[in-house]
Amino acid sequence: MKNLLTPILLGLTILSLTACKHPGKEAETITAAAPENTDEIFKDVYVDSYGEKIEVTINNTKNTATIHLNGKTFDLKKSNALPEYTASNEEYQYSDIKGNITFLKKNVDMVLFHLKQAKKESGPAKMASY
């Protein structure tokens, strides 16, 4: 028993001394390798006159739109053939044309959300001076 106790204590001592070393450069290279999110993303929340709320997230880098309405999520792809910002999939279409926000179900022409925003002025009105 005494013969076995000495090598075990010696092994534990060596193990505890080597376990306390700092990892050094390995930890730094792992954290530096994390990719950064460079997507151009815009998020807006609109509320219509009935109090219904729609959350629109537009990713301009990937040309996608994600719509959250009534607890459901809809993923749409931007359409370059249609005017201003329009995105759609097989069933749904979202559009933001001159401040008119519309989300509809295409196959039955049912409008699920519509909001006409007031025109935004680009700055203070200029008056002519004499």
Side-chain angles (χ1 to χ4, degrees):
M1 180 78 168
K2 288 183 180 181
N3 294 344
L4 196 58
L5 184 62
T6 305
I8 291 176
L9 287 175
L10 183 62
L12 287 174
T13 305
I14 292 172
L15 184 66
S16 66
L17 289 174
T18 58
C20 294
K21 291 187 178 178
H22 188 335
K25 294 283 182 182
E26 285 183 29
E28 292 175 18
T29 56
I30 292 172
T31 57
E36 292 184 24
N37 187 3
T38 58
D39 289 351
E40 184 180 341
I41 298 174
F42 297 99
K43 187 175 183 180
D44 287 314
V45 177
Y46 303 104
V47 179
D48 67 3
S49 59
Y50 301 108
E52 196 165 351
K53 184 170 68 169
I54 188 171
E55 183 179 306
V56 179
T57 305
I58 296 175
N59 186 331
N60 285 329
T61 306
K62 296 179 182 176
N63 286 330
T64 59
T66 304
I67 310 295
H68 298 284
L69 179 67
N70 297 332
K72 295 180 183 176
T73 301
F74 306 92
D75 293 317
L76 310 173
K77 182 84 173 150
K78 183 174 182 345
S79 174
N80 293 326
L82 296 173
E84 294 201 27
Y85 193 88
T86 305
S88 62
N89 64 11
E90 321 60 63
E91 293 184 70
Y92 299 95
Q93 179 175 331
Y94 166 81
S95 62
D96 182 357
I97 301 172
K98 296 183 181 177
N100 285 324
I101 311 294
T102 306
F103 183 61
L104 57 95
K105 190 167 185 175
K106 292 192 310 188
N107 58 352
V108 291
D109 291 331
M110 177 190 290
V111 176
L112 301 173
F113 183 89
H114 180 76
L115 173 67
K116 184 172 183 171
Q117 293 181 320
K119 292 183 180 181
K120 296 178 183 176
E121 292 188 27
S122 60
K126 293 184 179 179
M127 298 181 66
S129 60
Y130 294 98

